[in-house]
Coordinates of all heavy atoms in Angstrom, one line a residue:
M1 N 10.9 44.5 38.8 CA 11.9 44.6 37.8 C 11.5 45.6 36.7 O 10.3 45.6 36.3 CB 12.2 43.3 37.1 CG 13.2 43.3 36.0 SD 13.4 41.6 35.4 CE 13.3 42.0 33.7
E2 N 12.3 46.5 36.4 CA 12.0 47.6 35.4 C 12.0 46.9 34.0 O 13.0 46.2 33.7 CB 13.0 48.7 35.5 CG 12.7 49.9 34.6 CD 13.7 51.0 34.8 OE1 14.7 50.8 35.4 OE2 13.5 52.0 34.2
K3 N 11.0 47.2 33.2 CA 10.9 46.6 31.9 C 11.4 47.7 30.8 O 10.5 48.3 30.1 CB 9.5 46.2 31.6 CG 9.1 45.0 32.5 CD 7.7 44.6 32.2 CE 7.3 43.4 33.1 NZ 5.9 43.0 32.7
K4 N 12.7 47.9 30.7 CA 13.2 48.9 29.8 C 12.9 48.6 28.4 O 12.5 49.5 27.6 CB 14.7 49.0 30.0 CG 15.2 49.6 31.3 CD 16.7 49.8 31.3 CE 17.1 50.4 32.6 NZ 18.6 50.6 32.5
L5 N 13.0 47.3 28.0 CA 12.7 47.0 26.6 C 11.3 47.2 26.2 O 11.0 47.8 25.2 CB 13.2 45.5 26.3 CG 13.0 45.1 24.8 CD1 13.8 46.0 23.9 CD2 13.4 43.6 24.7
V6 N 10.4 46.8 27.1 CA 8.9 46.9 26.8 C 8.6 48.4 26.7 O 7.9 48.8 25.7 CB 8.1 46.3 28.0 CG1 6.6 46.7 27.8 CG2 8.3 44.8 28.0
S7 N 9.1 49.2 27.6 CA 8.7 50.7 27.6 C 9.4 51.4 26.4 O 8.8 52.3 25.8 CB 9.0 51.4 28.9 OG 10.4 51.3 29.2
S8 N 10.6 50.9 26.0 CA 11.3 51.5 24.9 C 10.6 51.2 23.6 O 10.5 52.0 22.7 CB 12.8 51.1 24.9 OG 13.4 51.6 26.1
V9 N 10.2 49.9 23.4 CA 9.5 49.5 22.2 C 8.2 50.3 22.1 O 7.8 50.8 21.1 CB 9.3 48.0 22.2 CG1 8.3 47.6 21.1 CG2 10.6 47.3 21.9
A10 N 7.5 50.4 23.2 CA 6.2 51.1 23.3 C 6.4 52.6 22.9 O 5.7 53.1 22.0 CB 5.6 51.0 24.7
S11 N 7.4 53.2 23.4 CA 7.6 54.7 23.1 C 8.1 54.9 21.7 O 7.8 55.9 21.1 CB 8.5 55.3 24.1 OG 9.8 54.8 24.1
T12 N 8.8 53.9 21.2 CA 9.3 54.0 19.8 C 8.1 53.8 18.8 O 8.1 54.6 17.8 CB 10.4 52.9 19.5 OG1 11.5 53.2 20.4 CG2 10.9 53.0 18.1
I13 N 7.2 52.9 19.1 CA 6.1 52.8 18.2 C 5.2 54.0 18.3 O 4.9 54.6 17.2 CB 5.2 51.6 18.7 CG1 5.9 50.2 18.4 CG2 3.8 51.6 18.0 CD1 5.3 49.0 18.9
R14 N 5.0 54.6 19.4 CA 4.2 55.8 19.6 C 4.9 57.0 18.8 O 4.3 57.7 18.1 CB 4.1 56.2 21.1 CG 3.2 57.3 21.3 CD 2.8 57.5 22.8 NE 3.9 57.2 23.7 CZ 4.0 56.1 24.5 NH1 3.1 55.2 24.4 NH2 5.0 55.9 25.3
H15 N 6.3 57.1 19.0 CA 7.1 58.1 18.3 C 6.9 58.0 16.8 O 6.5 59.0 16.2 CB 8.5 58.0 18.7 CG 9.4 58.7 17.8 ND1 9.6 60.1 17.9 CD2 10.2 58.4 16.7 CE1 10.5 60.5 17.0 NE2 10.8 59.5 16.2
Y16 N 7.1 56.9 16.2 CA 7.0 56.8 14.8 C 5.5 56.9 14.3 O 5.3 57.4 13.2 CB 7.6 55.4 14.3 CG 9.1 55.5 14.2 CD1 9.9 54.6 14.9 CD2 9.7 56.3 13.3 CE1 11.3 54.7 14.8 CE2 11.1 56.4 13.2 CZ 11.9 55.5 14.0 OH 13.2 55.6 13.9
R17 N 4.6 56.5 15.1 CA 3.2 56.7 14.7 C 2.8 58.2 14.6 O 2.2 58.6 13.7 CB 2.3 56.0 15.7 CG 0.8 56.1 15.4 CD -0.1 55.4 16.4 NE 0.0 55.8 17.7 CZ -0.5 56.9 18.3 NH1 -1.2 57.8 17.5 NH2 -0.3 57.2 19.5
K18 N 3.3 58.9 15.6 CA 3.0 60.4 15.6 C 3.8 61.1 14.5 O 3.3 62.0 13.9 CB 3.4 60.9 17.0 CG 2.4 60.5 18.1 CD 2.6 61.1 19.4 CE 1.5 60.7 20.4 NZ 1.5 61.5 21.6
V19 N 5.0 60.7 14.3 CA 5.8 61.2 13.1 C 5.0 61.0 11.8 O 5.0 61.9 11.0 CB 7.2 60.6 13.1 CG1 7.9 61.0 11.8 CG2 8.1 61.2 14.3
A20 N 4.4 59.8 11.7 CA 3.7 59.5 10.5 C 2.3 60.2 10.5 O 1.5 60.0 9.5 CB 3.5 58.0 10.3
D21 N 2.0 60.9 11.6 CA 0.7 61.5 11.7 C -0.5 60.5 11.6 O -1.4 60.8 10.8 CB 0.5 62.7 10.8 CG -0.6 63.6 11.1 OD1 -0.9 63.7 12.3 OD2 -1.2 64.2 10.2
M22 N -0.3 59.4 12.3 CA -1.3 58.3 12.2 C -2.0 58.2 13.6 O -1.4 58.3 14.6 CB -0.7 57.0 11.9 CG -0.1 56.9 10.5 SD 0.8 55.3 10.3 CE -0.6 54.2 9.9
S23 N -3.3 57.9 13.5 CA -4.0 57.6 14.8 C -3.7 56.1 15.1 O -3.2 55.3 14.2 CB -5.5 57.8 14.6 OG -6.0 56.8 13.6
Q24 N -4.0 55.7 16.3 CA -3.9 54.3 16.7 C -4.7 53.4 15.8 O -4.3 52.4 15.4 CB -4.2 54.1 18.1 CG -3.2 54.6 19.1 CD -3.6 54.4 20.5 OE1 -4.7 54.0 20.9 NE2 -2.6 54.5 21.4
E25 N -5.9 53.9 15.5 CA -6.8 53.2 14.6 C -6.3 53.0 13.2 O -6.3 52.0 12.6 CB -8.2 53.9 14.6 CG -9.2 53.1 13.8 CD -10.6 53.6 14.1 OE1 -10.9 54.4 14.9 OE2 -11.5 53.1 13.3
A26 N -5.7 54.1 12.7 CA -5.1 54.0 11.3 C -3.9 53.0 11.3 O -3.8 52.2 10.3 CB -4.6 55.4 10.8
L27 N -3.1 53.1 12.3 CA -2.0 52.1 12.4 C -2.5 50.7 12.5 O -2.0 49.8 11.8 CB -1.1 52.5 13.6 CG 0.1 51.5 13.8 CD1 1.0 51.3 12.6 CD2 0.9 51.9 15.0
A28 N -3.5 50.5 13.4 CA -4.1 49.2 13.5 C -4.6 48.6 12.2 O -4.4 47.5 11.8 CB -5.2 49.2 14.6
D29 N -5.3 49.5 11.5 CA -5.9 49.1 10.2 C -4.8 48.7 9.2 O -4.8 47.7 8.5 CB -6.7 50.2 9.6 CG -8.1 50.4 10.3 OD1 -8.5 49.5 11.0 OD2 -8.7 51.4 10.1
K30 N -3.8 49.5 9.1 CA -2.7 49.3 8.2 C -1.8 48.0 8.6 O -1.3 47.4 7.7 CB -1.7 50.5 8.2 CG -0.9 50.6 6.9 CD -0.3 52.0 6.8 CE 0.5 52.0 5.5 NZ 1.2 53.3 5.3
A31 N -1.7 47.8 9.9 CA -1.0 46.6 10.4 C -1.9 45.4 10.5 O -1.4 44.3 10.9 CB -0.3 46.9 11.7
D32 N -3.2 45.5 10.2 CA -4.1 44.4 10.3 C -4.2 43.9 11.8 O -4.1 42.7 12.0 CB -3.8 43.3 9.3 CG -5.0 42.3 9.2 OD1 -6.1 42.8 9.3 OD2 -4.7 41.1 8.9
L33 N -4.2 44.8 12.7 CA -4.3 44.5 14.1 C -5.5 45.3 14.7 O -6.0 46.2 14.1 CB -3.0 44.9 14.9 CG -1.8 44.1 14.4 CD1 -0.5 44.8 15.0 CD2 -1.8 42.7 14.8
D34 N -5.9 45.0 16.0 CA -6.9 45.7 16.6 C -6.4 47.0 17.3 O -5.3 47.0 17.8 CB -7.5 44.8 17.7 CG -8.8 45.3 18.3 OD1 -9.9 45.1 17.6 OD2 -8.8 46.0 19.3
R35 N -7.2 48.0 17.3 CA -6.8 49.3 17.8 C -6.5 49.2 19.3 O -5.6 49.8 19.8 CB -7.9 50.4 17.6 CG -7.3 51.8 18.1 CD -8.4 52.7 18.5 NE -9.3 52.2 19.6 CZ -9.0 52.2 20.9 NH1 -7.9 52.7 21.3 NH2 -9.9 51.7 21.7
T36 N -7.3 48.4 20.0 CA -7.0 48.2 21.5 C -5.7 47.5 21.7 O -5.1 47.7 22.8 CB -8.2 47.4 22.2 OG1 -8.3 46.1 21.6 CG2 -9.5 48.2 22.0
Y37 N -5.3 46.7 20.8 CA -4.0 46.0 20.9 C -2.9 47.0 20.8 O -1.9 47.0 21.6 CB -3.9 44.9 19.8 CG -2.6 44.1 19.9 CD1 -2.3 43.3 21.0 CD2 -1.7 44.1 18.9 CE1 -1.2 42.5 21.1 CE2 -0.6 43.3 18.9 CZ -0.3 42.5 20.0 OH 0.8 41.8 20.1
I38 N -3.0 47.9 19.8 CA -2.0 49.0 19.6 C -2.0 49.9 20.9 O -0.9 50.2 21.4 CB -2.4 49.9 18.4 CG1 -2.3 49.0 17.1 CG2 -1.4 51.1 18.3 CD1 -1.0 48.5 16.7
S39 N -3.1 50.2 21.4 CA -3.2 51.0 22.6 C -2.5 50.3 23.8 O -1.7 51.0 24.5 CB -4.6 51.3 23.0 OG -4.7 52.0 24.2
G40 N -2.7 49.1 23.9 CA -2.1 48.3 25.0 C -0.6 48.2 24.9 O 0.1 48.3 25.9
I41 N -0.2 48.1 23.6 CA 1.3 48.0 23.4 C 1.9 49.3 23.7 O 2.9 49.4 24.4 CB 1.6 47.7 21.9 CG1 1.2 46.2 21.6 CG2 3.0 47.9 21.6 CD1 1.1 45.9 20.1
E42 N 1.3 50.4 23.3 CA 1.9 51.8 23.5 C 1.9 52.1 25.0 O 2.7 52.9 25.5 CB 1.1 52.8 22.7 CG 1.5 52.8 21.2 CD 0.9 54.0 20.5 OE1 0.3 54.9 21.1 OE2 1.1 54.0 19.3
R43 N 0.9 51.6 25.8 CA 0.9 51.8 27.2 C 1.8 50.8 28.0 O 1.9 51.0 29.2 CB -0.5 51.7 27.7 CG -1.4 52.9 27.2 CD -2.8 52.9 27.8 NE -3.6 51.8 27.1 CZ -4.1 50.8 27.8 NH1 -4.0 50.7 29.1 NH2 -4.8 49.8 27.1
G44 N 2.3 49.8 27.3 CA 3.2 48.9 27.9 C 2.5 47.8 28.8 O 3.1 47.2 29.6
V45 N 1.2 47.6 28.5 CA 0.4 46.7 29.3 C 0.1 45.4 28.5 O -0.4 44.4 29.0 CB -0.9 47.3 29.8 CG1 -0.6 48.4 30.7 CG2 -1.8 47.7 28.6
R46 N 0.5 45.4 27.2 CA 0.3 44.2 26.4 C 1.7 43.7 25.9 O 2.6 44.5 25.5 CB -0.5 44.5 25.1 CG -1.9 44.9 25.3 CD -2.8 43.7 25.8 NE -2.8 42.6 24.9 CZ -3.7 42.3 24.0 NH1 -4.7 43.2 23.8 NH2 -3.7 41.2 23.3
N47 N 1.9 42.4 25.9 CA 3.1 41.8 25.4 C 2.9 41.7 23.9 O 2.0 41.1 23.4 CB 3.4 40.5 26.0 CG 4.0 40.6 27.4 OD1 4.7 41.5 27.6 ND2 3.6 39.6 28.2
I48 N 3.9 42.2 23.1 CA 3.8 42.2 21.7 C 4.5 41.0 21.1 O 5.6 40.6 21.6 CB 4.4 43.5 21.1 CG1 4.1 43.6 19.6 CG2 5.8 43.6 21.4 CD1 4.4 45.0 19.0
T49 N 3.9 40.3 20.1 CA 4.6 39.2 19.5 C 5.6 39.8 18.4 O 5.4 40.9 18.0 CB 3.6 38.3 18.8 OG1 3.0 39.0 17.7 CG2 2.6 37.8 19.8
L50 N 6.5 39.0 18.1 CA 7.4 39.4 17.0 C 6.7 39.6 15.7 O 7.0 40.5 14.9 CB 8.6 38.5 16.9 CG 9.6 38.4 18.1 CD1 10.6 37.4 17.8 CD2 10.2 39.8 18.3
D51 N 5.7 38.8 15.4 CA 5.0 38.9 14.2 C 4.2 40.2 14.2 O 4.2 41.0 13.2 CB 3.9 37.8 14.1 CG 4.6 36.5 13.7 OD1 5.7 36.5 13.1 OD2 3.9 35.4 13.9
S52 N 3.6 40.6 15.3 CA 2.9 41.9 15.4 C 3.8 43.0 15.3 O 3.5 44.0 14.6 CB 2.1 41.9 16.7 OG 1.0 41.0 16.7
L53 N 5.0 42.9 15.9 CA 5.9 44.0 15.9 C 6.4 44.2 14.4 O 6.5 45.4 14.0 CB 7.2 43.7 16.7 CG 8.3 44.7 16.8 CD1 7.7 46.1 17.2 CD2 9.4 44.3 17.7
E54 N 6.6 43.2 13.7 CA 7.0 43.3 12.3 C 5.9 44.0 11.5 O 6.2 44.8 10.7 CB 7.4 41.9 11.7 CG 8.0 42.0 10.3 CD 8.5 40.7 9.9 OE1 8.0 39.6 10.2 OE2 9.5 40.7 9.1
Q55 N 4.7 43.6 11.7 CA 3.5 44.2 11.0 C 3.5 45.7 11.3 O 3.2 46.5 10.4 CB 2.2 43.5 11.4 CG 2.0 42.1 10.9 CD 0.8 41.5 11.5 OE1 1.0 40.5 12.3 NE2 -0.4 42.0 11.2
I56 N 3.7 46.1 12.5 CA 3.6 47.5 12.9 C 4.8 48.2 12.3 O 4.5 49.3 11.8 CB 3.7 47.6 14.5 CG1 2.3 47.1 15.1 CG2 3.9 49.0 14.9 CD1 2.3 46.9 16.6
I57 N 6.0 47.7 12.3 CA 7.1 48.4 11.7 C 6.9 48.6 10.3 O 7.1 49.8 9.8 CB 8.4 47.6 12.0 CG1 8.8 47.6 13.5 CG2 9.6 48.1 11.1 CD1 9.9 46.7 13.9
Y58 N 6.4 47.6 9.5 CA 6.2 47.8 8.1 C 5.0 48.8 7.9 O 5.0 49.6 6.9 CB 5.9 46.5 7.4 CG 7.2 45.7 7.3 CD1 7.2 44.3 7.6 CD2 8.3 46.2 6.8 CE1 8.4 43.6 7.5 CE2 9.5 45.5 6.6 CZ 9.5 44.2 7.0 OH 10.7 43.4 6.9
A59 N 4.0 48.7 8.7 CA 2.8 49.7 8.6 C 3.3 51.1 8.8 O 2.7 52.0 8.2 CB 1.7 49.3 9.6
L60 N 4.3 51.3 9.6 CA 4.8 52.6 9.9 C 5.7 53.1 8.8 O 6.1 54.3 8.7 CB 5.6 52.7 11.2 CG 4.7 52.5 12.5 CD1 5.5 52.3 13.7 CD2 3.8 53.8 12.7
G61 N 6.1 52.2 7.9 CA 6.9 52.6 6.7 C 8.4 52.8 7.1 O 9.1 53.6 6.4
I62 N 8.9 52.1 8.1 CA 10.3 52.3 8.5 C 10.9 50.9 8.4 O 10.3 49.9 8.3 CB 10.5 52.8 9.9 CG1 9.7 52.0 10.9 CG2 10.0 54.3 10.0 CD1 9.9 52.4 12.4
D63 N 12.3 50.9 8.4 CA 12.9 49.6 8.3 C 13.3 49.1 9.7 O 13.3 49.9 10.7 CB 14.1 49.6 7.4 CG 15.3 50.5 7.8 OD1 15.2 51.0 8.9 OD2 16.2 50.7 7.0
I64 N 13.5 47.8 9.8 CA 13.7 47.2 11.1 C 15.0 47.8 11.8 O 14.9 48.1 13.0 CB 13.8 45.7 11.0 CG1 12.4 45.2 10.6 CG2 14.3 45.0 12.2 CD1 12.3 43.7 10.2
P65 N 16.1 47.9 11.1 CA 17.3 48.5 11.8 C 17.0 49.9 12.4 O 17.4 50.2 13.5 CB 18.4 48.5 10.8 CG 18.0 47.4 9.8 CD 16.5 47.5 9.8
A66 N 16.3 50.7 11.6 CA 16.0 52.1 12.1 C 15.1 52.0 13.4 O 15.3 52.8 14.3 CB 15.3 52.9 11.0
F67 N 14.2 51.1 13.4 CA 13.3 51.0 14.5 C 14.1 50.6 15.8 O 14.0 51.2 16.8 CB 12.2 49.9 14.2 CG 11.3 49.7 15.4 CD1 10.2 50.5 15.5 CD2 11.5 48.7 16.4 CE1 9.3 50.4 16.6 CE2 10.7 48.5 17.4 CZ 9.6 49.4 17.6
F68 N 15.0 49.6 15.6 CA 15.8 49.2 16.8 C 16.9 50.1 17.2 O 17.3 50.2 18.4 CB 16.3 47.7 16.6 CG 15.2 46.7 16.8 CD1 14.6 46.1 15.7 CD2 14.7 46.5 18.1 CE1 13.6 45.2 15.9 CE2 13.7 45.6 18.3 CZ 13.1 44.9 17.2
T69 N 17.3 51.0 16.3 CA 18.2 52.0 16.7 C 17.5 53.0 17.6 O 18.0 53.4 18.6 CB 18.8 52.8 15.4 OG1 19.5 51.9 14.6 CG2 19.6 54.0 15.8
K70 N 16.3 53.3 17.2 CA 15.5 54.2 18.1 C 15.2 53.6 19.4 O 15.2 54.2 20.5 CB 14.2 54.6 17.4 CG 13.3 55.6 18.1 CD 14.0 57.0 18.1 CE 13.1 58.0 18.7 NZ 13.8 59.3 18.9
V71 N 14.9 52.3 19.4 CA 14.6 51.6 20.7 C 15.9 51.7 21.6 O 15.8 51.9 22.8 CB 14.3 50.1 20.4 CG1 14.3 49.3 21.7 CG2 12.9 50.0 19.8
S72 N 17.0 51.5 21.0 CA 18.3 51.6 21.7 C 18.5 53.0 22.3 O 18.9 53.1 23.5 CB 19.5 51.2 20.8 OG 20.7 51.3 21.5
E73 N 18.2 54.0 21.6 CA 18.2 55.4 22.1 C 17.3 55.6 23.2 O 17.7 56.2 24.2 CB 17.9 56.4 20.9 CG 18.9 56.4 19.8 CD 18.5 57.2 18.6 OE1 17.3 57.8 18.7 OE2 19.2 57.3 17.7
Q74 N 16.1 55.0 23.1 CA 15.1 55.1 24.2 C 15.6 54.4 25.5 O 15.5 54.9 26.6 CB 13.8 54.5 23.8 CG 13.1 55.3 22.6 CD 12.5 56.6 23.1 OE1 12.2 56.8 24.2 NE2 12.3 57.5 22.1
I75 N 16.2 53.3 25.3 CA 16.7 52.5 26.5 C 17.8 53.3 27.1 O 17.9 53.5 28.4 CB 17.2 51.1 26.1 CG1 16.1 50.2 25.7 CG2 18.1 50.5 27.2 CD1 16.4 48.9 25.1
N76 N 18.7 53.9 26.3 CA 19.8 54.7 26.9 C 19.4 56.0 27.6 O 20.1 56.5 28.4 CB 20.9 54.9 25.8 CG 21.6 53.7 25.4 OD1 21.8 52.8 26.1 ND2 22.0 53.7 24.1
A77 N 18.2 56.4 27.2 CA 17.7 57.7 27.8 C 17.0 57.4 29.2 O 16.7 58.4 29.9 CB 16.7 58.3 26.8
I78 N 16.7 56.2 29.5 CA 16.1 55.8 30.8 C 17.2 56.0 31.9 O 18.2 55.4 31.8 CB 15.6 54.4 30.8 CG1 14.4 54.3 29.7 CG2 15.1 54.0 32.2 CD1 13.9 52.9 29.5
P79 N 16.9 56.8 32.9 CA 17.9 57.0 33.9 C 18.2 55.7 34.7 O 17.3 54.9 34.9 CB 17.2 58.0 34.9 CG 16.0 58.5 34.2 CD 15.7 57.6 33.1
K80 N 19.4 55.5 35.0 CA 19.9 54.3 35.7 C 19.6 54.5 37.2 O 19.8 55.6 37.7 CB 21.3 54.0 35.5 CG 21.6 53.6 34.0 CD 23.0 53.3 33.8 CE 23.1 53.0 32.3 NZ 24.3 52.7 31.7
K81 N 19.2 53.5 37.8 CA 18.9 53.6 39.3 C 20.0 53.1 40.1 O 20.9 52.4 39.7 CB 17.6 52.7 39.6 CG 16.4 53.3 39.0 CD 15.2 52.5 39.5 CE 13.9 53.2 38.9 NZ 12.8 52.5 39.3

Protein backbone atom coordinates (compact mmCIF):
# COMPACT_ATOMS: atom_id res chain seq x y z
CA MET A 1 0.00 0.00 0.00
CA GLU A 2 1.32 3.40 -0.97
CA LYS A 3 1.64 5.77 1.99
CA LYS A 4 0.69 9.06 0.35
CA LEU A 5 0.01 10.89 3.61
CA VAL A 6 3.29 9.78 5.21
CA SER A 7 5.38 10.80 2.21
CA SER A 8 3.48 14.08 1.77
CA VAL A 9 3.90 15.08 5.43
CA ALA A 10 7.59 14.16 5.19
CA SER A 11 8.18 16.21 2.06
CA THR A 12 6.20 19.15 3.48
CA ILE A 13 8.34 19.20 6.63
CA ARG A 14 11.49 19.04 4.50
CA HIS A 15 10.16 21.81 2.21
CA TYR A 16 9.39 24.24 5.04
CA ARG A 17 12.65 23.38 6.84
CA LYS A 18 14.64 24.24 3.72
CA VAL A 19 12.60 27.41 3.11
CA ALA A 20 13.47 28.44 6.68
CA ASP A 21 17.13 27.60 5.92
CA MET A 22 17.26 25.27 8.91
CA SER A 23 19.28 22.13 9.37
CA GLN A 24 17.62 19.03 10.75
CA GLU A 25 19.56 19.63 13.94
CA ALA A 26 18.33 23.22 14.24
CA LEU A 27 14.74 22.12 13.67
CA ALA A 28 15.11 19.33 16.20
CA ASP A 29 16.50 21.76 18.79
CA LYS A 30 13.73 24.28 18.18
CA ALA A 31 11.02 21.58 18.31
CA ASP A 32 12.63 19.88 21.34
CA LEU A 33 13.03 16.60 19.42
CA ASP A 34 15.98 14.42 18.46
CA ARG A 35 17.72 15.07 15.13
CA THR A 36 17.52 11.38 14.20
CA TYR A 37 13.75 11.53 14.74
CA ILE A 38 13.50 14.49 12.32
CA SER A 39 15.65 12.59 9.82
CA GLY A 40 13.47 9.49 10.11
CA ILE A 41 10.31 11.53 9.63
CA GLU A 42 11.67 13.26 6.54
CA ARG A 43 12.71 9.91 5.06
CA GLY A 44 9.28 8.43 5.81
CA VAL A 45 10.62 5.66 8.02
CA ARG A 46 9.32 7.00 11.35
CA ASN A 47 5.71 7.40 12.34
CA ILE A 48 5.17 10.90 13.63
CA THR A 49 2.87 11.58 16.57
CA LEU A 50 0.43 14.45 16.39
CA ASP A 51 2.19 16.07 19.35
CA SER A 52 5.54 15.94 17.52
CA LEU A 53 3.96 17.20 14.30
CA GLU A 54 2.52 20.19 16.15
CA GLN A 55 5.92 20.93 17.73
CA ILE A 56 7.57 20.78 14.30
CA ILE A 57 4.96 23.01 12.66
CA TYR A 58 5.37 25.67 15.35
CA ALA A 59 9.17 25.35 15.26
CA LEU A 60 9.01 26.03 11.52
CA GLY A 61 7.01 29.19 12.21
CA ILE A 62 4.03 28.29 10.05
CA ASP A 63 0.40 27.83 10.90
CA ILE A 64 -1.37 24.50 10.86
CA PRO A 65 -3.77 25.27 7.97
CA ALA A 66 -0.85 26.38 5.75
CA PHE A 67 1.02 23.19 6.58
CA PHE A 68 -1.90 20.96 5.63
CA THR A 69 -2.60 22.96 2.47
CA LYS A 70 0.95 22.11 1.39
CA VAL A 71 0.44 18.46 2.40
CA SER A 72 -2.68 18.38 0.22
CA GLU A 73 -0.73 19.85 -2.71
CA GLN A 74 1.95 17.19 -2.22
CA ILE A 75 -0.66 14.40 -2.19
CA ASN A 76 -2.25 15.72 -5.37
CA ALA A 77 1.16 15.84 -7.06
CA ILE A 78 1.70 12.09 -6.54
CA PRO A 79 0.90 10.31 -9.80
CA LYS A 80 -2.10 7.98 -9.61
CA LYS A 81 -1.47 4.36 -10.44
